[in-house]
Amino acid sequence: MTTTTTTSADRPGARVLDHPDRSAIRLEDVLHALADPMRLRIVRRLAAAQGELSCTVIELPVSKSTCTHHYRVLREHGVISQIYRGTAKMNVLRRADLDELFPGLIERVLKAAELQDERLDA
Amino acid sequence: MTTTTTTSADRPGARVLDHPDRSAIRLEDVLHALADPMRLRIVRRLAAAQGELSCTVIELPVSKSTCTHHYRVLREHGVISQIYRGTAKMNVLRRADLDELFPGLIERVLKAAELQDERLDA
DNA sequence: GTCAAAATACGACGTTCCTCGTACAATGAT
DNA sequence: ATCATTGTACGAGGAACGTCGTATTTTGAC
C-alpha cells in the first residue's frame, strides 16, 4: 500500500482546508447553508461558544460521515472556517466576514432561531 | 366534456389557495425559500413594490411552469400570499407575519442582497 | 360564443441533497 | 510500534429540487 508514503508526504503544510475568500461568499449559498436543521444547529452552537469548537463536542443525531458532510458545506459556503488541531478539527463561525458582507444577517437568523424555539417547544 | 360544469361549480369561493398559518411558518423553510436566486428576486421585487404584484410583471429568465413552481414554494413556505384577481394572480410579501416571527430577518436579507449586488456588478 | 391572456397540471429529465456504512488516513499517547 | 481517537473518502440509495414542454383551465373582453 501507499499508506506510509502518503503520511509522510504532507508534513510541511499538512492537511490544509480550502476556504472561500470573503469576496467569494454568496448570499444564496449562506442562506442555503443555514436552511438545513443540522447546519443551523452547528452555527448556533458556534455562535454561542464565541470561539472554536471541535466537531465532536457538537452532538448531532446523524452519522459521522453526515457530520463531515455538513461541516464541509458550511465551510465551502463561507459560513465557518476549520483548522486541524492535533487529531481534532476545530470550527469557528466566520462572524467578521459575514457581518461585513451581510450586516446583521447572522444576528437576525440566530435570534429568529431562538424565538422559534421558544414558540415551539416552550 | 365536463368543462362547463367545472367552471360554474366553483363560483362562490372560486380558486382558493392554501396558505400556512403564521404559526406554521418555519425558519428553515423560509431560509430555504429565500436561498434560490429566482425566488429571492421575486421577494425583492415584492418588497420594493410594497404591495401586490402579478406574476407577469416580475420578469424571470425561466419558463412559465417554473415561475408557477417558485411562487408556489414561496406561498407554501409562508413567504408570500397569493390571490386571484381576474385572470391574473397577485402576490404579496407576508411582511407582517414574517416580521412578527423573525424580527428584522427579511429586512436584513433584503439589505444583504442589495449590498451583494453593489459589490458584484457595480 | 369566441378569443386571447394568465396561470396550472402533469409528466419528465437531470441534478443536487441528505443520509448511511465501510474502509482508510492522520494524529497523539502509550 | 501499537493503539485509540478523530475525521475522510468513496460509493450508494432515495428524496427533493429546478427546469422544461405540452395540454388544459380560468377569466375577461370582443
Side-chain angles (χ1 to χ4, degrees):
Chain A
M1 283 273 189
T2 57
T3 312
T4 40
T5 322
T6 320
T7 312
S8 49
D10 49 9
R11 272 308 76 247
R15 293 223 271 173
V16 192
L17 292 163
D18 255 23
H19 292 79
D21 287 346
R22 184 175 68 193
S23 66
I25 300 177
R26 300 257 284 101
L27 175 61
E28 293 87 338
D29 290 341
V30 171
L31 293 176
H32 171 250
L34 298 174
D36 179 89
M38 293 305 144
R39 292 195 293 259
L40 183 54
R41 217 196 274 206
I42 294 172
V43 168
R44 293 179 70 185
R45 289 288 261 83
L46 290 178
Q50 288 192 309
E52 49 182 51
L53 247 43
S54 79
C55 294
T56 2
V57 312
I58 304 179
E59 288 173 27
L60 298 175
V62 289
S63 75
K64 264 198 304 178
S65 336
T66 303
C67 284
T68 301
H69 162 69
H70 286 309
Y71 281 103
R72 177 167 39 223
V73 170
L74 287 171
R75 172 172 49 79
E76 290 179 342
H77 291 173
V79 180
I80 68 172
S81 66
Q82 306 186 284
I83 52 160
Y84 287 104
R85 180 102 64 227
T87 157
K89 191 184 203 171
M90 308 306 288
N91 307 277
V92 192
L93 188 58
R94 292 182 66 172
R95 194 84 196 227
D97 287 329
L98 295 172
D99 282 347
E100 167 106 12
L101 291 171
F102 318 121
L105 179 64
I106 295 301
E107 180 201 322
R108 290 294 100 197
V109 170
L110 293 170
K111 185 63 181 172
E114 252 178 63
L115 289 172
Q116 175 164 285
D117 273 3
E118 291 168 17
R119 177 164 64 92
L120 298 182
D121 42 71
Chain B
M1 281 266 194
T2 57
T3 312
T4 42
T5 323
T6 320
T7 311
S8 50
D10 50 10
R11 272 309 75 250
R15 296 221 271 173
V16 193
L17 293 162
D18 255 23
H19 293 79
D21 288 346
R22 184 175 68 193
S23 66
I25 300 177
R26 302 256 282 102
L27 176 61
E28 292 87 338
D29 290 340
V30 171
L31 293 177
H32 170 249
L34 297 175
D36 179 89
M38 294 304 146
R39 293 194 292 260
L40 182 55
R41 217 196 276 206
I42 294 172
V43 168
R44 294 179 70 186
R45 288 289 262 76
L46 291 177
Q50 287 192 310
E52 50 182 51
L53 248 43
S54 77
C55 294
T56 2
V57 313
I58 305 179
E59 288 173 27
L60 298 175
V62 288
S63 76
K64 267 200 300 182
S65 336
T66 303
C67 285
T68 300
H69 163 69
H70 286 308
Y71 281 103
R72 177 166 41 224
V73 171
L74 287 171
R75 172 171 49 81
E76 290 178 344
H77 291 175
V79 181
I80 68 172
S81 66
Q82 304 186 285
I83 51 158
Y84 286 105
R85 180 103 64 225
T87 153
K89 191 184 204 173
M90 307 306 289
N91 307 277
V92 191
L93 189 58
R94 292 183 65 174
R95 194 81 195 232
D97 287 330
L98 294 171
D99 282 348
E100 167 108 13
L101 292 171
F102 317 122
L105 179 63
I106 297 299
E107 181 200 322
R108 290 293 99 199
V109 171
L110 292 171
K111 186 64 182 171
E114 250 176 67
L115 288 172
Q116 176 164 285
D117 271 4
E118 291 167 18
R119 177 165 62 92
L120 298 182
D121 41 73

